[in-house]
Amino acid sequence: MAEKLSVSFEFFPPSSEAAEARLWNTVEKLAPLGPAFASVTYGAGGTTRERTLKVVQKLKNDGRMEPAAHLTCVGADKAEIDGIARGWLEAGISRLVALRGDPPQDTGRYQPHPNGYQNAADLVSGLRKIGDFDISVAAYPEAHPDSPSEVADIANLKAKIDNGANRAITQYFFDVDLFLRFRDKVAAAGIDAPLVPGIMPIGHFGRMVNFSKRCGASVPDWLFERFEGLDDDPETRELVAASTAADLCHRLIEEGVTDFHFYTLNVPSLTFATCHLLGMRPNLSEAA
Ligand code: FAD
């Protein structure tokens, strides 16, 4: 089964020397698993622009993982964003994850830049005019918190695909049935692009719970029970996290899913152990 699986990994750009070392250690560990691509996030409000660029470029030069650069519409006009996208193409980077992004913290509802892209669907249209990108977009099994309804959210996803996106990567989730119901609704809406589940191996349970409140992902009761008492026990927590993520993936595989996008949080062990439990093994000769 493992040879039928395709994985991609998401990293975030480091903000300190220690974090930088952790990132490249993660890349070293995960590259031999042969991911389809490795995406690098773009900090809220474009705050990590230079750091994202640096990591994407280094991954490209390193040659072991095909990088994908995240790009958001926040805080920049169309000309500026188009310039960034052209820069990626010139640097040989043609994979993008196109997002609207979030407003800067405590500034309330999202407001597009007056001369900017209105949302991710608009951004995808703009990128398609610039070049032959491979474009991933975001999808929300529990609907995006800004969305007026589930139907509107799926219509928004359809607009992103109709405007030229190649696949959708979902927000993380912990309830398989929830994803399967969403997949059915997406298909019923006539969206036939691949829907790749985003898998979050849980690094720190409390932090994940707080983040989930902000992004509208639900955390089921059984997960609280599973991580109970492990706050000060990182070793056991890691074992539980990897087996929880692998259980989720195994159930998805039973339902015909073959592609997974891992939110690695720049932690090598969690994603590596999860992939190992799925039967994937590193190809050390190719990665050398
Ligand atoms: P969109 O798809 O444009 O829309 C978000 C919501 O707004 C939808 O519910 C939609 O229905 C609604 N909406 C959009 N346009 C309209 C309209 N015209 N009228 C009414 N409603 C509308 N954030 C970052 O800052 N950097 C990253 O690197 C990053 N990477 C991510 C990767 C993945 C896989 C995912 C799932 C999310 C990521 N995010 C990232 C978070 C993302 O930026 C936020 O969730 C953001 O709030 C929405 O972005 P989007 O691209 O989904 O927006």
Side-chain angles (χ1 to χ4, degrees), residues 114-127:
N115 301 311
Y117 289 109
Q118 297 296 302
N119 52 32
D122 195 20
L123 174 61
V124 172
S125 295
L127 293 171

Side-chain angles (χ1 to χ4, degrees), residues 47-112:
T47 44
T48 69
R49 183 167 151 183
E50 296 309 319
R51 282 185 278 138
T52 300
L53 174 72
K54 214 171 127 198
V55 175
V56 168
Q57 195 64 67
K58 194 166 166 185
L59 281 172
K60 183 75 187 168
N61 296 344
D62 178 69
R64 288 181 298 172
M65 292 194 196
E66 180 71 31
H70 291 217
L71 186 58
T72 74
C73 311
V74 179
D77 63 20
K78 286 186 184 181
E80 201 176 338
I81 289 179
D82 291 357
I84 295 171
R86 286 199 185 91
W88 290 130
L89 270 189
E90 280 159 23
I93 286 124
S94 57
R95 283 184 181 270
L96 296 178
V97 181
L99 302 142
R100 185 196 74 177
D102 285 314
Q105 240 176 355
D106 305 325
T107 58
R109 233 184 127 66
Y110 181 84
Q111 290 291 342

Side-chain angles (χ1 to χ4, degrees), residues 42 70 99-102 119-120 140 144 147 153 156 160 263:
Y42 195 78
H70 291 217
L99 302 142
R100 185 196 74 177
D102 285 314
N119 52 32
Y140 300 88
H144 188 279
S147 178
D153 205 39
N156 178 60
K160 294 194 268 193
Y263 297 106

Side-chain angles (χ1 to χ4, degrees), residues 17 24 37 57 73 78 87 106 109-110 116 132 144 164 177 191 194 202 205 216 252 267 272 275:
E17 266 182 41
W24 295 108
F37 63 89
Q57 195 64 67
C73 311
K78 286 186 184 181
D106 305 325
R109 233 184 127 66
Y110 181 84
D132 188 18
H144 188 279
D177 293 329
I191 299 169
I202 301 163
F205 191 74
L252 292 166
V267 177
F272 189 83
C275 289

Side-chain angles (χ1 to χ4, degrees), residues 57-277:
Q57 195 64 67
K58 194 166 166 185
L59 281 172
K60 183 75 187 168
N61 296 344
D62 178 69
R64 288 181 298 172
M65 292 194 196
E66 180 71 31
H70 291 217
L71 186 58
T72 74
C73 311
V74 179
D77 63 20
K78 286 186 184 181
E80 201 176 338
I81 289 179
D82 291 357
I84 295 171
R86 286 199 185 91
W88 290 130
L89 270 189
E90 280 159 23
I93 286 124
S94 57
R95 283 184 181 270
L96 296 178
V97 181
L99 302 142
R100 185 196 74 177
D102 285 314
Q105 240 176 355
D106 305 325
T107 58
R109 233 184 127 66
Y110 181 84
Q111 290 291 342
H113 187 284
N115 301 311
Y117 289 109
Q118 297 296 302
N119 52 32
D122 195 20
L123 174 61
V124 172
S125 295
L127 293 171
R128 274 280 159 253
K129 287 184 199 137
I130 291 172
D132 188 18
F133 290 109
D134 173 282
I135 304 174
S136 300
V137 290
Y140 300 88
E142 298 180 76
H144 188 279
D146 289 356
S147 178
S149 70
E150 203 181 28
V151 171
D153 205 39
I154 291 177
N156 178 60
L157 176 60
K158 185 160 170 27
K160 294 194 268 193
I161 300 295
D162 287 349
N163 289 357
N166 299 81
R167 76 187 61 71
I169 299 173
T170 76
Q171 183 58 276
Y172 64 85
F173 57 90
F174 300 105
D175 178 345
V176 173
D177 293 329
L178 194 147
F179 172 82
L180 296 175
R181 284 195 297 274
F182 179 64
R183 186 173 70 169
D184 287 347
K185 288 174 196 161
V186 165
I191 299 169
D192 54 10
L195 181 69
V196 181
I199 306 295
M200 170 79 90
I202 301 163
H204 189 287
F205 191 74
R207 268 182 235 145
M208 182 279 290
V209 170
N210 284 337
F211 186 71
S212 300
K213 282 182 197 143
R214 293 207 302 273
C215 69
S218 61
V219 183
D221 290 344
W222 60 263
L223 206 52
F224 281 89
E225 281 164 28
R226 201 173 264 203
F227 281 85
E228 193 183 350
L230 296 183
D231 284 356
D232 299 321
D233 184 353
E235 283 169 15
T236 310
R237 212 168 57 217
E238 280 211 353
L239 297 171
V240 172
S243 96
T244 301
D247 286 352
L248 182 73
C249 295
H250 276 129
R251 278 233 31 225
L252 292 166
I253 290 168
E254 281 168 17
E255 298 291 341
V257 174
T258 55
D259 295 7
F260 296 96
H261 182 77
F262 284 93
Y263 297 106
T264 72
L265 304 177
N266 297 2
V267 177
S269 49
L270 288 174
T271 297
F272 189 83
T274 306
C275 289
H276 182 91
L277 288 166

